[in-house]
Amino acid sequence: PIGDPLFDALRAKRRELAEEQGMPPYVIFHDATLREMAMMKPTTLAQMGEITGVGARKLDSYGEAFLAVICNLH
């Protein structure tokens, strides 16, 4: 969604984490996963884990960071 502040914030967090870890942003999460996060607005790690593209390893590594972005904007 163009102009969705939550989607933009999630992309910014992904870019920040990717730069810190020296990897391309899509390795963390694909845009489709971020779109689903922006639409579903999970508030717990369990809800985050139900989103397509969020496996157990990524949930452990990045779940809290992305939940914080969602909670801060909603």
Side-chain angles (χ1 to χ4, degrees), residues 6-69:
L6 179 53
F7 179 67
D8 292 343
L10 291 168
R11 290 188 76 204
K13 174 53 75 176
R14 178 184 65 179
R15 186 170 44 255
E16 173 190 320
L17 293 170
E19 287 173 4
E20 287 173 6
Q21 298 176 28
M23 63 176 62
Y26 68 83
V27 173
I28 294 178
F29 290 125
H30 289 281
D31 274 358
T33 301
L34 297 183
R35 278 200 261 327
E36 190 172 338
M37 282 182 203
M39 187 177 73
M40 302 302 289
K41 299 177 185 68
T43 56
T44 66
L45 288 175
Q47 290 173 344
M48 177 75 77
E50 295 175 11
I51 291 177
T52 306
V54 181
R57 189 177 61 76
K58 289 187 178 185
L59 187 62
D60 285 344
S61 299
Y62 308 118
E64 293 286 349
F66 284 87
L67 278 178
V69 171

